[in-house]
Amino acid sequence: MFYDKQPKEQQENYKKMIATIGSLSNLFADSKNPALYYRAHENCFCKYFDAENLARHDCSADASKNRVGIGLKTWVGSNNQKVAEFGKLREQISDAKNDYEMVIKVAQFRNERIRTTMNMYGIDQMIYHVVIRTEGKMNIEECSFDSIDIDHIKLIPEKGRTNTIYFSDGNHTYNFNVSKTTLYMVFDNLIHLDEVDVNILDDPYEYLSNGISADVHIMEQKPKYRRLALKLFKEKKGKYIVEEKSGLNIWNAKGRPRHPDEVYIPFNKMDRDRPENMDFFPGRDTKFKLELPDGKVISAKVCQSDGKAIMSDPNKDLGHWLLRDVLELPEGTLITYELLQEKGFDTVLFEKIEEGYYRIYFTDSKAYDELYGEKKEDVE
């Protein structure tokens, strides 16, 4: 488990804060069960346990610390809870010939995303940390975060078909909602670790109005670091594709001999010309340090004509890490848009930590749309 290994002071501060948030529940609903918005839970957990917040990177873990990946959940009521969504893989899933083949595909996609997350962030173990909210109380529970045991999948026919397929792998009971392409799991192996009483305030508005002076100026919250997002795919003739002889597949280009690990991140003209991006990176061919999601630091630079590519130096370093270590692909495997969806990412997000030092994350295209204030593309 994770929680019981953390310092007692951190545990107490964490409990105090989620209880404080829960005390304001009447701001949102009239219920005896305390409210805890999932984003607030993620931020509290990472703040008080000094964990890295991965929740907005659309990977299988919401946080990580000391090579442990943590999935964070909070709910009221049933322990049958959503664990994954596969909207962008709808077509591949719907091609299944029967229910059994469909859940096999879903299980494979689920396991692949877990494995990719662990490889990418240098994670050795995965656990779930759960806050279950009941009347006047929050219960802190944890359990293992398991891959699906595909070899032991059995359908549960007595549940009926309708729009949901029920199955078990011998460790957990799952159900897959076909129309929503969403996977649920029954959390039946939770271990109770702690609990906190929550006093829900009758009038949180009065409490807040008395506690915050009208003279306080609310500052606009800005990200700690400057960010730049780039898509690893493009739209061509109404379809989303990854170019076969450039970008992540530049190793496949004709001309000079190329190393099978050679890749680059496309930096297209539209993104280069955004005012907020024009001075983000140093000049062309000027090396900078690039920290990968697992903490490894490599050398990189903007290169090619007009600075249309971001490449490691030497140019095989990024590709070896991404293609071999993270994705575990054999040499000569073409990266496709469909493959990226299976792995759970299609966009990169750069953070500028300081001059000459950057951090990179691999995430979903909605990070691009959120950063640049654009309407989310319908790629699902």
Side-chain angles (χ1 to χ4, degrees):
M1 296 297 100
F2 175 88
Y3 177 84
D4 56 356
K5 293 182 175 65
Q6 305 312 302
K8 188 67 175 178
E9 182 180 2
Q10 291 185 353
Q11 293 179 11
E12 293 302 318
N13 289 337
Y14 170 67
K15 290 195 297 181
K16 181 179 178 180
M17 183 51 63
I18 61 174
T20 300
I21 295 171
S23 72
L24 302 174
S25 296
N26 283 337
L27 286 172
F28 318 107
D30 182 13
S31 172
K32 293 181 180 180
N33 299 318
L36 180 61
Y37 179 55
Y38 73 98
R39 288 296 186 200
H41 181 212
E42 293 161 357
N43 292 334
C44 284
F45 182 92
C46 293
K47 175 179 176 63
Y48 292 106
F49 292 125
D50 296 321
E52 182 178 3
N53 195 330
L54 306 179
R56 292 189 177 273
H57 298 313
D58 291 284
C59 60
S60 295
D62 296 303
S64 69
K65 182 178 180 179
N66 298 334
R67 302 186 70 85
V68 176
I70 303 108
L72 297 170
K73 308 286 289 184
T74 179
W75 67 73
V76 172
S78 170
N79 286 2
N80 182 41
Q81 294 292 319
K82 178 175 70 175
V83 292
E85 296 180 275
F86 301 98
K88 292 183 178 180
L89 295 168
R90 185 185 303 276
E91 185 175 340
Q92 291 169 257
I93 292 171
S94 63
D95 283 343
K97 297 176 183 177
N98 51 53
D99 289 356
Y100 180 76
E101 185 175 309
M102 183 173 289
V103 298
I104 292 294
K105 283 189 174 186
V106 168
Q108 290 171 338
F109 293 148
R110 166 71 167 163
N111 291 353
E112 193 61 43
R113 288 184 176 182
I114 294 173
R115 187 168 182 82
T116 298
T117 293
M118 295 180 72
N119 289 343
M120 185 170 289
Y121 291 96
I123 292 170
D124 296 327
Q125 176 191 3
M126 297 277 281
I127 63 107
Y128 275 113
H129 176 91
V130 178
V131 175
I132 300 179
R133 289 136 35 222
T134 59
E135 184 174 337
K137 185 176 292 186
M138 292 184 182
N139 296 288
I140 297 173
E141 325 250 339
E142 287 185 352
C143 66
S144 59
F145 189 144
D146 302 317
S147 297
I148 300 175
D149 187 348
I150 294 177
D151 292 337
H152 293 90
I153 285 179
K154 292 183 179 179
L155 298 183
I156 306 176
E158 60 268 24
K159 290 282 188 179
R161 172 62 161 84
T162 59
N163 187 49
T164 303
I165 307 172
Y166 295 83
F167 65 98
S168 171
D169 69 345
N171 298 313
H172 301 283
T173 299
Y174 297 87
N175 54 94
F176 179 67
N177 186 297
V178 179
S179 62
K180 295 180 179 179
T181 56
T182 300
L183 179 67
Y184 298 80
M185 185 184 83
V186 178
F187 284 77
D188 55 3
N189 62 335
L190 290 166
I191 298 173
H192 182 80
L193 298 174
D194 209 340
E195 60 186 49
V196 54
D197 293 325
V198 180
N199 178 29
I200 298 177
L201 298 172
D202 291 332
D203 190 352
Y205 299 96
E206 180 180 3
Y207 171 81
L208 291 174
S209 64
N210 290 333
I212 300 177
S213 170
D215 294 330
V216 173
H217 297 286
I218 305 299
M219 302 283 291
E220 180 183 358
Q221 186 175 6
K222 296 182 179 179
K224 185 176 181 180
Y225 303 113
R226 286 182 62 190
R227 294 177 175 179
L228 179 148
L230 300 174
K231 295 178 180 178
L232 295 170
F233 64 95
K234 64 187 297 186
E235 185 176 1
K236 199 170 187 178
K237 297 181 180 179
K239 297 186 68 175
Y240 295 96
I241 65 165
V242 177
E243 295 281 7
E244 291 189 359
K245 299 183 183 298
S246 63
L248 297 185
N249 293 317
I250 188 62
W251 56 266
N252 189 45
K254 297 183 184 301
R256 65 171 175 81
R258 297 180 184 272
H259 194 280
D261 290 343
E262 186 175 339
V263 301
Y264 70 79
I265 296 169
F267 193 8
N268 64 48
K269 180 174 172 53
M270 181 179 72
D271 292 319
R272 295 197 305 272
D273 289 348
R274 294 181 187 275
E276 64 267 44
N277 291 347
M278 294 184 73
D279 65 344
F280 186 85
F281 291 111
R284 180 180 164 187
D285 292 326
T286 301
K287 296 180 183 180
F288 56 85
K289 292 181 179 179
L290 184 63
E291 181 180 325
L292 302 176
D294 63 358
K296 180 181 179 181
V297 178
I298 62 174
S299 177
K301 61 184 179 179
V302 176
C303 56
Q304 295 195 14
S305 61
D306 299 322
K308 67 179 183 180
I310 300 167
M311 184 178 284
S312 63
D313 183 35
N315 59 21
K316 64 182 180 180
D317 283 2
L318 179 60
H320 184 84
W321 175 81
L322 181 62
L323 303 181
R324 313 296 166 232
D325 296 343
V326 174
L327 301 182
E328 300 179 334
L329 299 174
E331 291 184 2
T333 303
L334 278 175
I335 300 293
T336 64
Y337 179 73
E338 291 73 23
L339 187 146
L340 291 181
Q341 298 315 308
E342 292 175 14
K343 304 296 183 179
F345 67 89
D346 57 24
T347 297
V348 294
L349 182 68
F350 289 91
E351 287 186 336
K352 186 173 184 177
I353 309 305
E354 60 185 38
E355 289 298 328
Y357 195 100
Y358 298 77
R359 185 182 294 138
I360 190 173
Y361 297 98
F362 291 76
T363 183
D364 184 85
S365 58
K366 63 186 178 185
Y368 180 99
D369 303 312
E370 289 172 358
L371 182 61
Y372 299 124
E374 299 179 358
K375 181 180 179 181
K376 187 177 185 304
E377 295 176 317
D378 182 16
V379 295
E380 295 188 3

